Short mmCIF file of all heavy atoms in Angstrom, two decimals:
data_model
loop_
_atom_site.label_atom_id
_atom_site.label_comp_id
_atom_site.label_asym_id
_atom_site.label_seq_id
_atom_site.Cartn_x
_atom_site.Cartn_y
_atom_site.Cartn_z
N GLY A 1491 13.19 -12.51 -11.86
CA GLY A 1491 12.87 -11.88 -13.09
C GLY A 1491 11.30 -12.03 -13.51
O GLY A 1491 10.97 -11.37 -14.51
N GLY A 1492 10.55 -12.82 -12.81
CA GLY A 1492 9.14 -12.88 -13.08
C GLY A 1492 8.40 -11.91 -12.37
O GLY A 1492 8.93 -10.81 -11.89
N SER A 1493 7.11 -11.89 -12.64
CA SER A 1493 6.09 -10.95 -12.22
C SER A 1493 4.94 -11.49 -11.31
O SER A 1493 4.66 -12.69 -11.54
CB SER A 1493 5.48 -10.18 -13.39
OG SER A 1493 6.47 -9.51 -14.14
N LEU A 1494 4.43 -10.74 -10.54
CA LEU A 1494 3.23 -10.99 -9.78
C LEU A 1494 2.43 -9.74 -9.61
O LEU A 1494 3.01 -8.63 -9.54
CB LEU A 1494 3.55 -11.55 -8.32
CG LEU A 1494 4.15 -13.01 -8.21
CD1 LEU A 1494 4.46 -13.36 -6.75
CD2 LEU A 1494 2.98 -13.99 -8.51
N ARG A 1495 1.03 -9.78 -9.37
CA ARG A 1495 0.25 -8.72 -9.13
C ARG A 1495 -0.48 -8.87 -7.91
O ARG A 1495 -1.15 -9.93 -7.81
CB ARG A 1495 -0.62 -8.30 -10.31
CG ARG A 1495 -1.37 -7.02 -9.99
CD ARG A 1495 -2.21 -6.58 -11.19
NE ARG A 1495 -3.60 -7.25 -11.05
CZ ARG A 1495 -4.70 -6.70 -11.64
NH1 ARG A 1495 -4.57 -5.43 -12.17
NH2 ARG A 1495 -5.82 -7.19 -11.64
N LEU A 1496 -0.42 -8.14 -6.84
CA LEU A 1496 -1.11 -8.17 -5.64
C LEU A 1496 -2.33 -7.21 -5.67
O LEU A 1496 -2.19 -6.11 -6.33
CB LEU A 1496 -0.28 -7.82 -4.53
CG LEU A 1496 1.01 -8.50 -4.21
CD1 LEU A 1496 1.67 -8.00 -2.97
CD2 LEU A 1496 0.81 -10.03 -4.22
N SER A 1497 -3.46 -7.72 -4.97
CA SER A 1497 -4.65 -6.82 -5.08
C SER A 1497 -5.00 -6.69 -3.63
O SER A 1497 -4.88 -7.62 -2.80
CB SER A 1497 -5.84 -7.52 -5.73
OG SER A 1497 -5.49 -7.67 -7.15
N CYS A 1498 -5.64 -5.55 -3.31
CA CYS A 1498 -6.11 -5.30 -1.94
C CYS A 1498 -7.50 -4.65 -2.10
O CYS A 1498 -7.56 -3.34 -2.54
CB CYS A 1498 -5.14 -4.34 -1.16
SG CYS A 1498 -5.67 -3.76 0.47
N ALA A 1499 -8.51 -5.33 -1.83
CA ALA A 1499 -9.89 -4.67 -1.86
C ALA A 1499 -10.35 -4.24 -0.56
O ALA A 1499 -10.32 -5.00 0.56
CB ALA A 1499 -10.82 -5.80 -2.38
N ALA A 1500 -10.73 -2.98 -0.49
CA ALA A 1500 -11.19 -2.29 0.70
C ALA A 1500 -12.86 -2.36 0.90
O ALA A 1500 -13.50 -2.18 -0.15
CB ALA A 1500 -10.74 -0.90 0.85
N SER A 1501 -13.29 -2.59 1.99
CA SER A 1501 -14.75 -2.44 2.23
C SER A 1501 -15.01 -1.76 3.53
O SER A 1501 -14.04 -1.56 4.36
CB SER A 1501 -15.36 -3.78 2.13
OG SER A 1501 -14.81 -4.62 3.14
N GLY A 1502 -16.24 -1.39 3.80
CA GLY A 1502 -16.64 -0.70 5.04
C GLY A 1502 -16.57 0.85 4.75
O GLY A 1502 -16.98 1.37 3.78
N ARG A 1503 -16.02 1.39 5.69
CA ARG A 1503 -16.12 3.06 5.75
C ARG A 1503 -14.89 3.53 4.93
O ARG A 1503 -13.92 4.23 5.39
CB ARG A 1503 -16.00 3.55 7.28
CG ARG A 1503 -17.13 3.10 8.04
CD ARG A 1503 -17.19 3.71 9.28
NE ARG A 1503 -17.51 5.15 9.24
CZ ARG A 1503 -17.60 5.88 10.25
NH1 ARG A 1503 -17.47 5.52 11.55
NH2 ARG A 1503 -17.61 7.37 10.18
N THR A 1504 -14.91 3.22 3.65
CA THR A 1504 -13.82 3.55 2.73
C THR A 1504 -13.76 4.99 2.42
O THR A 1504 -12.76 5.51 2.02
CB THR A 1504 -13.87 2.76 1.46
OG1 THR A 1504 -15.16 3.02 0.85
CG2 THR A 1504 -13.78 1.29 1.72
N LEU A 1505 -14.75 5.79 2.63
CA LEU A 1505 -14.83 7.28 2.35
C LEU A 1505 -13.79 7.92 3.20
O LEU A 1505 -13.33 8.98 2.92
CB LEU A 1505 -16.22 7.82 2.51
CG LEU A 1505 -17.23 7.42 1.34
CD1 LEU A 1505 -18.51 8.16 1.78
CD2 LEU A 1505 -16.78 7.93 0.08
N SER A 1506 -13.43 7.33 4.29
CA SER A 1506 -12.48 8.01 5.27
C SER A 1506 -11.06 7.87 4.78
O SER A 1506 -10.13 8.38 5.39
CB SER A 1506 -12.70 7.43 6.72
OG SER A 1506 -12.50 6.02 6.76
N THR A 1507 -10.79 7.03 3.83
CA THR A 1507 -9.42 6.59 3.53
C THR A 1507 -8.81 7.75 2.67
O THR A 1507 -9.24 8.44 1.85
CB THR A 1507 -9.45 5.35 2.52
OG1 THR A 1507 -10.06 4.16 3.20
CG2 THR A 1507 -8.14 4.97 2.08
N SER A 1508 -7.56 8.05 3.28
CA SER A 1508 -6.79 9.14 2.61
C SER A 1508 -5.67 8.56 1.78
O SER A 1508 -5.28 9.15 0.83
CB SER A 1508 -6.21 10.04 3.64
OG SER A 1508 -5.39 9.36 4.52
N GLY A 1509 -5.17 7.34 2.03
CA GLY A 1509 -4.13 6.83 1.32
C GLY A 1509 -4.07 5.20 1.51
O GLY A 1509 -4.59 4.74 2.65
N MET A 1510 -3.43 4.52 0.63
CA MET A 1510 -3.27 3.12 0.89
C MET A 1510 -1.89 2.77 0.52
O MET A 1510 -1.28 3.28 -0.45
CB MET A 1510 -4.20 2.29 -0.04
CG MET A 1510 -5.64 2.48 0.48
SD MET A 1510 -6.76 1.43 -0.41
CE MET A 1510 -6.41 -0.16 0.44
N GLY A 1511 -1.30 1.85 1.32
CA GLY A 1511 0.16 1.53 1.16
C GLY A 1511 0.42 0.08 1.12
O GLY A 1511 -0.46 -0.73 1.63
N TRP A 1512 1.41 -0.32 0.52
CA TRP A 1512 1.99 -1.76 0.57
C TRP A 1512 3.27 -1.74 1.36
O TRP A 1512 4.23 -0.85 1.26
CB TRP A 1512 2.29 -2.28 -0.72
CG TRP A 1512 1.01 -2.41 -1.59
CD1 TRP A 1512 0.51 -1.67 -2.61
CD2 TRP A 1512 0.15 -3.69 -1.54
NE1 TRP A 1512 -0.56 -2.21 -3.10
CE2 TRP A 1512 -0.81 -3.34 -2.50
CE3 TRP A 1512 0.39 -4.90 -0.86
CZ2 TRP A 1512 -1.86 -4.49 -2.70
CZ3 TRP A 1512 -0.72 -5.86 -1.09
CH2 TRP A 1512 -1.77 -5.64 -1.97
N PHE A 1513 3.24 -2.75 2.37
CA PHE A 1513 4.47 -2.91 3.18
C PHE A 1513 4.91 -4.45 2.96
O PHE A 1513 4.16 -5.27 2.53
CB PHE A 1513 4.27 -2.60 4.52
CG PHE A 1513 4.04 -1.12 4.76
CD1 PHE A 1513 2.79 -0.50 4.51
CD2 PHE A 1513 5.05 -0.28 5.34
CE1 PHE A 1513 2.58 0.85 4.69
CE2 PHE A 1513 4.85 1.02 5.75
CZ PHE A 1513 3.64 1.58 5.32
N ARG A 1514 6.09 -4.64 3.37
CA ARG A 1514 6.50 -6.17 3.39
C ARG A 1514 7.46 -6.44 4.56
O ARG A 1514 8.20 -5.45 5.06
CB ARG A 1514 7.33 -6.41 2.08
CG ARG A 1514 8.58 -5.69 1.91
CD ARG A 1514 9.07 -6.05 0.48
NE ARG A 1514 10.46 -5.43 0.25
CZ ARG A 1514 11.00 -5.41 -1.00
NH1 ARG A 1514 10.38 -5.84 -2.05
NH2 ARG A 1514 12.19 -4.86 -1.10
N GLN A 1515 7.47 -7.70 4.98
CA GLN A 1515 8.24 -8.06 6.03
C GLN A 1515 8.93 -9.55 5.76
O GLN A 1515 8.20 -10.39 5.59
CB GLN A 1515 7.45 -8.28 7.33
CG GLN A 1515 8.31 -8.49 8.64
CD GLN A 1515 7.47 -8.23 9.77
OE1 GLN A 1515 6.26 -8.16 9.86
NE2 GLN A 1515 8.07 -8.08 11.07
N ALA A 1516 10.26 -9.37 5.65
CA ALA A 1516 10.98 -10.61 5.42
C ALA A 1516 11.28 -11.20 6.81
O ALA A 1516 11.24 -10.52 7.76
CB ALA A 1516 12.35 -10.36 4.73
N PRO A 1517 11.65 -12.52 6.83
CA PRO A 1517 11.99 -13.30 8.13
C PRO A 1517 12.91 -12.62 8.80
O PRO A 1517 14.12 -12.23 8.31
CB PRO A 1517 12.22 -14.71 7.56
CG PRO A 1517 11.59 -14.83 6.37
CD PRO A 1517 11.55 -13.56 5.67
N GLY A 1518 12.87 -12.28 10.02
CA GLY A 1518 13.82 -11.74 11.01
C GLY A 1518 14.02 -10.18 10.69
O GLY A 1518 14.80 -9.57 11.36
N GLU A 1519 13.19 -9.63 9.88
CA GLU A 1519 13.38 -8.21 9.47
C GLU A 1519 12.04 -7.43 9.90
O GLU A 1519 11.08 -7.92 10.30
CB GLU A 1519 13.51 -7.99 8.08
CG GLU A 1519 14.74 -8.74 7.43
CD GLU A 1519 16.01 -8.17 7.83
OE1 GLU A 1519 16.08 -6.98 8.03
OE2 GLU A 1519 17.14 -8.97 7.86
N GLU A 1520 12.34 -6.06 10.03
CA GLU A 1520 11.24 -5.23 10.31
C GLU A 1520 10.35 -5.01 9.12
O GLU A 1520 10.79 -5.13 7.96
CB GLU A 1520 11.71 -3.90 10.81
CG GLU A 1520 12.53 -3.96 12.23
CD GLU A 1520 12.80 -2.57 12.73
OE1 GLU A 1520 12.80 -1.54 11.99
OE2 GLU A 1520 13.35 -2.47 13.84
N ARG A 1521 9.21 -4.72 9.38
CA ARG A 1521 8.20 -4.40 8.21
C ARG A 1521 8.72 -3.07 7.59
O ARG A 1521 8.91 -2.10 8.29
CB ARG A 1521 6.75 -4.25 8.79
CG ARG A 1521 5.71 -4.26 7.71
CD ARG A 1521 4.31 -4.47 8.27
NE ARG A 1521 4.20 -5.67 8.97
CZ ARG A 1521 2.85 -6.03 9.43
NH1 ARG A 1521 1.89 -5.36 9.21
NH2 ARG A 1521 2.89 -7.26 10.07
N GLU A 1522 8.74 -3.05 6.39
CA GLU A 1522 9.20 -1.91 5.64
C GLU A 1522 8.23 -1.50 4.52
O GLU A 1522 7.40 -2.31 4.02
CB GLU A 1522 10.62 -2.12 4.89
CG GLU A 1522 10.52 -3.24 3.78
CD GLU A 1522 11.79 -3.33 3.03
OE1 GLU A 1522 12.89 -2.86 3.61
OE2 GLU A 1522 11.81 -4.21 2.08
N PHE A 1523 8.26 -0.20 4.27
CA PHE A 1523 7.59 0.45 3.25
C PHE A 1523 7.97 0.09 1.83
O PHE A 1523 9.13 -0.06 1.59
CB PHE A 1523 7.63 1.98 3.31
CG PHE A 1523 7.06 2.69 2.22
CD1 PHE A 1523 5.63 3.01 2.07
CD2 PHE A 1523 7.91 3.36 1.35
CE1 PHE A 1523 5.18 3.52 0.98
CE2 PHE A 1523 7.47 4.07 0.21
CZ PHE A 1523 6.09 4.14 0.08
N VAL A 1524 6.95 -0.21 1.02
CA VAL A 1524 7.11 -0.42 -0.39
C VAL A 1524 6.58 0.55 -1.38
O VAL A 1524 7.32 1.03 -2.24
CB VAL A 1524 6.45 -1.84 -0.69
CG1 VAL A 1524 6.62 -2.26 -2.20
CG2 VAL A 1524 7.14 -3.00 0.12
N ALA A 1525 5.32 0.84 -1.28
CA ALA A 1525 4.75 1.81 -2.23
C ALA A 1525 3.49 2.31 -1.58
O ALA A 1525 2.84 1.57 -0.68
CB ALA A 1525 4.41 1.03 -3.50
N ALA A 1526 2.93 3.47 -1.98
CA ALA A 1526 1.73 4.10 -1.37
C ALA A 1526 1.15 4.87 -2.49
O ALA A 1526 1.88 5.46 -3.45
CB ALA A 1526 2.13 4.83 -0.20
N ILE A 1527 -0.17 5.18 -2.35
CA ILE A 1527 -0.86 6.06 -3.24
C ILE A 1527 -1.83 6.86 -2.37
O ILE A 1527 -2.57 6.33 -1.51
CB ILE A 1527 -1.67 5.23 -4.36
CG1 ILE A 1527 -2.36 6.12 -5.23
CG2 ILE A 1527 -2.65 4.28 -3.72
CD1 ILE A 1527 -2.73 5.45 -6.62
N ASN A 1528 -1.87 8.18 -2.75
CA ASN A 1528 -2.78 9.05 -2.12
C ASN A 1528 -4.21 8.71 -2.82
O ASN A 1528 -4.29 8.98 -4.00
CB ASN A 1528 -2.41 10.48 -2.32
CG ASN A 1528 -3.19 11.43 -1.61
OD1 ASN A 1528 -4.48 11.52 -1.68
ND2 ASN A 1528 -2.66 12.36 -0.77
N TRP A 1529 -5.07 8.35 -1.98
CA TRP A 1529 -6.28 7.90 -2.65
C TRP A 1529 -7.07 9.07 -3.34
O TRP A 1529 -7.85 8.84 -4.19
CB TRP A 1529 -7.33 7.36 -1.40
CG TRP A 1529 -8.29 6.52 -2.05
CD1 TRP A 1529 -9.69 6.63 -2.00
CD2 TRP A 1529 -8.15 5.21 -2.60
NE1 TRP A 1529 -10.27 5.60 -2.62
CE2 TRP A 1529 -9.43 4.71 -3.04
CE3 TRP A 1529 -7.07 4.39 -2.87
CZ2 TRP A 1529 -9.69 3.51 -3.64
CZ3 TRP A 1529 -7.17 3.13 -3.52
CH2 TRP A 1529 -8.50 2.71 -3.93
N ARG A 1530 -7.05 10.28 -2.60
CA ARG A 1530 -7.70 11.38 -3.36
C ARG A 1530 -7.04 12.03 -4.41
O ARG A 1530 -7.58 12.31 -5.57
CB ARG A 1530 -7.89 12.44 -2.15
CG ARG A 1530 -8.79 11.95 -1.10
CD ARG A 1530 -8.67 12.63 0.21
NE ARG A 1530 -9.51 11.92 1.23
CZ ARG A 1530 -9.45 12.22 2.59
NH1 ARG A 1530 -8.59 12.95 2.99
NH2 ARG A 1530 -10.18 11.54 3.39
N SER A 1531 -5.64 12.24 -4.32
CA SER A 1531 -4.88 13.03 -5.36
C SER A 1531 -4.24 12.17 -6.39
O SER A 1531 -4.03 12.51 -7.42
CB SER A 1531 -3.79 13.87 -4.78
OG SER A 1531 -2.80 13.09 -4.17
N GLY A 1532 -4.12 10.89 -6.08
CA GLY A 1532 -3.43 9.96 -6.94
C GLY A 1532 -1.89 9.95 -6.82
O GLY A 1532 -1.21 9.27 -7.56
N SER A 1533 -1.31 10.84 -6.01
CA SER A 1533 0.16 10.96 -5.84
C SER A 1533 0.61 9.47 -5.40
O SER A 1533 0.00 8.79 -4.64
CB SER A 1533 0.49 11.86 -4.79
OG SER A 1533 0.15 13.10 -5.22
N ILE A 1534 1.87 9.11 -6.10
CA ILE A 1534 2.33 7.80 -5.83
C ILE A 1534 3.77 7.91 -5.19
O ILE A 1534 4.50 8.79 -5.61
CB ILE A 1534 2.41 7.18 -7.17
CG1 ILE A 1534 0.97 6.69 -7.63
CG2 ILE A 1534 3.22 5.91 -7.11
CD1 ILE A 1534 0.86 6.02 -8.84
N TYR A 1535 4.08 6.99 -4.38
CA TYR A 1535 5.45 6.98 -3.78
C TYR A 1535 5.91 5.64 -3.66
O TYR A 1535 5.17 4.48 -3.65
CB TYR A 1535 5.19 7.45 -2.24
CG TYR A 1535 4.38 8.70 -1.98
CD1 TYR A 1535 3.05 8.47 -1.78
CD2 TYR A 1535 4.92 9.97 -2.14
CE1 TYR A 1535 2.20 9.65 -1.64
CE2 TYR A 1535 4.15 11.12 -2.09
CZ TYR A 1535 2.72 10.94 -1.63
OH TYR A 1535 2.17 12.09 -1.56
N TYR A 1536 7.30 5.47 -3.85
CA TYR A 1536 7.98 4.17 -3.79
C TYR A 1536 9.13 4.18 -2.93
O TYR A 1536 9.87 5.13 -2.91
CB TYR A 1536 8.37 3.87 -5.28
CG TYR A 1536 7.26 3.62 -6.27
CD1 TYR A 1536 6.99 4.58 -7.17
CD2 TYR A 1536 6.52 2.37 -6.31
CE1 TYR A 1536 5.84 4.31 -8.15
CE2 TYR A 1536 5.38 2.13 -7.19
CZ TYR A 1536 5.13 3.06 -8.05
OH TYR A 1536 4.14 2.95 -8.96
#
């Protein structure tokens, strides 16, 4: 029921970035998609 906020700071050749995503991996499970944002348009996916 609680909350957390994750941050991801990018550096380097960031002008080439088209989108950024969050993924997660639980023990014994495959890495899975969580959320993403199109860096240029702002479109969001969950």
Side-chain angles (χ1 to χ4, degrees):
S1493 299
L1494 285 173
R1495 189 175 84 151
L1496 306 183
S1497 300
C1498 176
S1501 61
R1503 300 186 66 175
T1504 57
L1505 288 178
S1506 63
T1507 300
S1508 57
M1510 294 185 73
W1512 289 97
F1513 291 78
R1514 66 187 182 187
Q1515 188 167 17
E1519 301 290 331
E1520 294 185 350
R1521 194 170 297 188
E1522 65 175 7
F1523 167 74
V1524 175
I1527 186 165
N1528 186 308
W1529 200 250
R1530 295 159 186 165
S1531 71
S1533 295
I1534 288 173
Y1535 315 94
Y1536 294 104

